[in-house]
Amino acid sequence: MSVKPMSYPLMEKLVALSRRRGFLFKSSEIYDGINAVYDYGPMGVELKRNIKNLWWQDMITSREDVLGMDTAILMHPRVWEASGHVQNFHDPMTECKKCKRRYRVDHLPENTAVCPECGGELAEPKQFNLMFKTRLGSTDEGAMDVYLRPETAQGIFVNFDNVVSSNRVKLPFGIGQLGKAFRNEITTGNFIFRTREFEQMEMEFFIRPGENAQWLEYWSQERLKWFVSLGIAPEKLRLRPHGKDELAHYSSACYDVEYEFPYGFSEIEGIADRGTYDMTQHIEFSRKNLHYIDQDQRGEKIVPAVIETSAGVDRTVLTVMADAFWEDETNDRIVMRFAPKVAPFKAAVFPLFKKEGMPDVARRLYEDLRKHVATVYDDGGSIGKRYRRQDEIGTPFCLTVDHESLNDHAVTLRDRDSLEQVRLRILSDS
Ligand code: ATP
C-alpha cells in the first residue's frame, strides 16, 4: 500500500495532541528533528510503560510456561549470518529519477513504472539491507563490523541452551523479552507506525516439531485477545493469514494482528511459525549442541520448532491512541478514552479554590491516592481548563475538593466519558 505520510486528519490531530500534551516529540527537535525517530514525553512514557507492563504480566508473570529475558542490542556478527538477515533482510527499493523520492516496491501499486508523487520515471529496483551497521572496538585494525539488532528474537535463540540448562523447563515452553530494535527503513511515516528505532515485545515458544499448526492457532487467538484487553475496539482488530508470497525467509505460516488505521488495516503484531529454521541455523553456524534433550523420552535429541509472537510497542501505543481519540462535539472537547489500565494517570485531584483548608484536604487526598494509583494534582486555571487538560491525556476520574468538602469530607467525582458527577465520601489512609 502506498502511504502518504501525515495526510490523514486523525493522524495529524494525534501528532498535534501528542506534542501539546507531552506524549511524543520528534527526536532532536531543536535541530529540526531526525527522520522517523521519536522521543516519548512524560505522558507518552507512562502510556508506553503501562503497555509494556501489561504485556509482561500477560506473557511472562502470569504464565507457568514462559520465562523472561533481557538480551543485548549488540550481538556477534555471525548471529546475523546464521539468522539469514545478512543475506535476506532486504526490501526492494526504487528511486524516482526526477524527484529522487525513494519507495519500497512492495508498497507501490503492482507494475507501477512512474513516481506517484511527480510522475517521473522509477529506477530499476535494488535490494536494500535494513540493518544498521556500526563498528565495535577502538582501533581500526581491531575493530569489527557489528549490527544494531533488527529484531530481539535472535537474543533468545542464541540463549536457548543457557536457559534450558539453568532452569527447570520442559517443552513446550517460551522465552519472552522486550527491547529496542533498529531498521533502516526505506519509507517511513504515519507518525510512529514505521520508525527507524522502535521497541518490540517478542516471545519465542519452543515446541516439538509437528505441533506447529495447533500452537500457531493458539498464540494467534491469545494475542488478538490481549489487544482487546487493552480496551481497543474489537471490530477494528482482525487476524489475517499471510499469503505464501508475503512470508519472511524463515517462516512457513503467519498471522498478522491488524488494526484499522485511517490508512487501512495494518500490522501491529506478527505470529509466525518459524519451524526449526533458527535453531538449525545456529547449530550449524555455532557448531554448538543446542538440541533439547527430552528426559521423558529416554534422552531423545530434538531440534525444537518455534512459534513466535512479535509485537511492536510503538505500534501498540499508536493503536491505543488512535482508538481512544474522540472529538466530543456536544461538549466541545477532545478526549482520549483510554482504558484506565493504560491511561498515564488514573485520577486527578483539583482543589476548587486556593482557600485556607481546601488545599490541605486536596493534598492529603492526592498523597493517599498516589500510594495506590498514578494520580496528578492540578490547582492551576479554571476548573473547566483543568478538566480539558485531563480529558486530553485520558485521565478517567477527576476529584474536585470544594467548600463543602471541609465539612462533609466528600468530593465530587467526575467520569471522563459520561461526564456524570457523583458525591463521594473520602476516607484518609492516615
Ligand atoms: P512491516 O511489513 O510493517 O515492515 P514487518 O512484517 O517487517 O513489518 P516484523 O518483522 O514482523 O514486521 O516485526 C514485528 C513487529 O515489530 C511488527 O508487527 C511491528 O509491530 C513492529 N515493527 C517492525 N518494524 C517496525 C518499524 N519500522 N517501526 C515500528 N514498529 C515496527
Side-chain angles (χ1 to χ4, degrees):
M1 182 198 345
S2 167
V3 175
K4 219 171 156 192
M6 304 305 178
S7 54
Y8 300 91
L10 172 64
M11 302 307 284
E12 280 168 17
K13 287 173 189 168
L14 279 182
V15 172
L17 179 133
S18 292
R19 212 187 167 286
R20 186 165 74 241
R21 295 297 177 198
F23 282 92
L24 283 141
F25 309 112
K26 260 181 149 329
S27 162
S28 331
E29 198 184 75
I30 60 167
Y31 294 99
D32 298 332
I34 172 166
N35 198 356
V37 188
Y38 286 88
D39 294 336
Y40 283 79
M43 293 309 116
V45 73
E46 296 296 339
L47 174 63
K48 186 185 191 188
R49 193 176 288 271
N50 290 339
I51 288 170
K52 292 198 285 186
N53 288 346
L54 288 162
W55 183 86
W56 194 267
Q57 171 64 26
D58 191 66
M59 293 294 282
I60 318 278
T61 318
S62 72
R63 295 193 67 110
E64 215 178 343
D65 55 354
V66 184
L67 299 168
M69 279 202 88
D70 183 10
T71 71
I73 288 172
L74 297 178
M75 302 181 74
H76 196 286
R78 290 277 287 163
V79 169
W80 306 109
E81 287 169 32
S83 70
H85 282 80
V86 172
Q87 276 284 332
N88 301 312
F89 200 51
H90 298 110
D91 277 339
M93 177 186 78
T94 178
E95 192 176 83
C96 170
K97 290 184 178 171
K98 199 162 138 203
C99 72
K100 305 289 174 210
R101 277 198 179 81
R102 288 177 165 188
Y103 298 97
R104 240 172 87 169
V105 175
D106 57 332
H107 283 181
L108 290 169
E110 240 173 279
N111 302 323
T112 306
V114 292
C115 171
E117 281 299 318
C118 76
E121 191 193 340
L122 292 176
E124 205 42 44
K126 280 192 241 155
Q127 292 299 328
F128 179 79
N129 195 295
L130 303 181
M131 286 198 292
F132 281 100
K133 211 186 240 183
T134 186
R135 303 273 289 162
L136 187 105
S138 49
T139 58
D140 273 353
E141 313 83 69
M144 70 173 167
D145 284 340
V146 293
Y147 300 99
L148 300 185
R149 67 180 176 195
E151 61 173 29
T152 67
Q154 297 303 323
I156 295 176
F157 296 130
V158 301
N159 276 291
F160 175 77
D161 193 48
N162 287 337
V163 173
V164 171
S165 60
S166 59
N167 292 271
R168 285 169 47 81
V169 284
K170 276 186 180 181
L171 290 185
F173 72 92
I175 306 175
Q177 76 166 327
L178 44 85
K180 290 268 185 178
F182 303 82
R183 294 184 189 178
N184 200 3
E185 298 278 1
I186 297 164
T187 51
T188 53
N190 284 321
F191 199 18
I192 51 168
F193 183 80
R194 190 181 307 286
T195 53
R196 295 203 165 97
E197 174 177 341
F198 55 98
E199 269 184 281
Q200 291 185 311
M201 310 179 272
E202 296 199 298
M203 194 277 303
E204 310 302 321
F205 199 69
F206 298 92
I207 58 173
R208 287 182 151 269
E211 296 174 354
N212 309 41
Q214 88 197 50
W215 284 111
L216 181 66
E217 181 60 27
Y218 170 82
W219 281 111
S220 301
Q221 296 300 336
E222 282 297 293
R223 297 306 305 143
L224 180 65
K225 274 192 253 163
W226 182 74
F227 285 100
V228 174
S229 79
L230 298 184
I232 299 165
E235 65 277 11
K236 297 196 106 192
L237 288 164
R238 73 174 185 197
L239 264 181
R240 187 182 67 83
H242 269 206
K244 286 278 171 239
D245 55 331
E246 290 178 88
L247 292 170
H249 63 271
Y250 49 75
S251 175
S252 56
C254 182
Y255 282 96
D256 281 349
V257 180
E258 296 186 334
Y259 178 76
E260 191 177 13
F261 289 100
Y263 43 89
F265 272 100
S266 308
E267 171 184 344
I268 49 180
E269 171 156 357
I271 300 102
D273 174 0
R274 294 180 78 125
T276 53
Y277 175 82
D278 300 276
M279 296 311 291
T280 307
Q281 288 291 101
H282 286 301
I283 289 170
E284 189 185 322
F285 277 69
S286 71
R287 296 176 197 279
K288 297 280 171 355
N289 183 3
L290 306 178
H291 299 85
Y292 174 84
I293 311 293
D294 194 342
Q295 303 299 354
D296 295 344
Q297 298 295 325
R298 282 191 248 121
E300 185 193 354
K301 244 170 112 175
I302 299 170
V303 178
V306 174
I307 304 298
E308 170 184 84
T309 69
S310 173
V313 177
D314 314 80
R315 277 193 200 176
T316 307
V317 170
L318 183 63
T319 306
V320 165
M321 290 187 78
D323 202 65
F325 187 88
W326 177 41
E327 282 173 302
D328 177 4
E329 281 163 11
T330 319
N331 299 294
D332 189 25
R333 61 183 187 139
I334 290 174
V335 189
M336 291 303 267
R337 286 193 286 189
F338 294 132
K341 61 179 164 186
V342 297
F345 289 107
K346 319 303 176 198
V349 176
F350 307 154
L352 191 54
F353 300 112
K354 288 182 179 164
K355 196 183 135 200
E356 192 149 331
M358 192 178 291
D360 297 346
V361 177
R363 289 295 305 180
R364 218 164 38 238
L365 174 62
Y366 164 64
E367 298 294 348
D368 283 349
L369 272 174
R370 67 194 284 228
K371 283 183 212 154
H372 306 282
V373 290
T375 307
V376 60
Y377 182 86
D378 190 357
D379 61 0
S382 71
I383 207 81
K385 273 208 180 112
R386 286 185 245 175
Y387 278 141
R388 294 292 171 272
R389 233 179 346 245
Q390 296 308 318
D391 288 343
E392 290 202 357
I393 60 169
T395 308
F397 304 107
C398 292
L399 298 138
T400 303
V401 178
D402 55 27
H403 319 37
E404 268 311 295
S405 308
L406 303 181
N407 305 320
D408 66 359
H409 300 286
V411 295
T412 303
L413 179 135
R414 174 249 204 198
D415 179 83
R416 178 194 66 200
D417 301 344
S418 67
L419 296 181
E420 239 169 50
Q421 301 201 358
V422 289
R423 202 72 188 156
L424 203 73
R425 268 186 73 78
I426 49 173
L427 300 169
S428 171
D429 263 13
S430 45

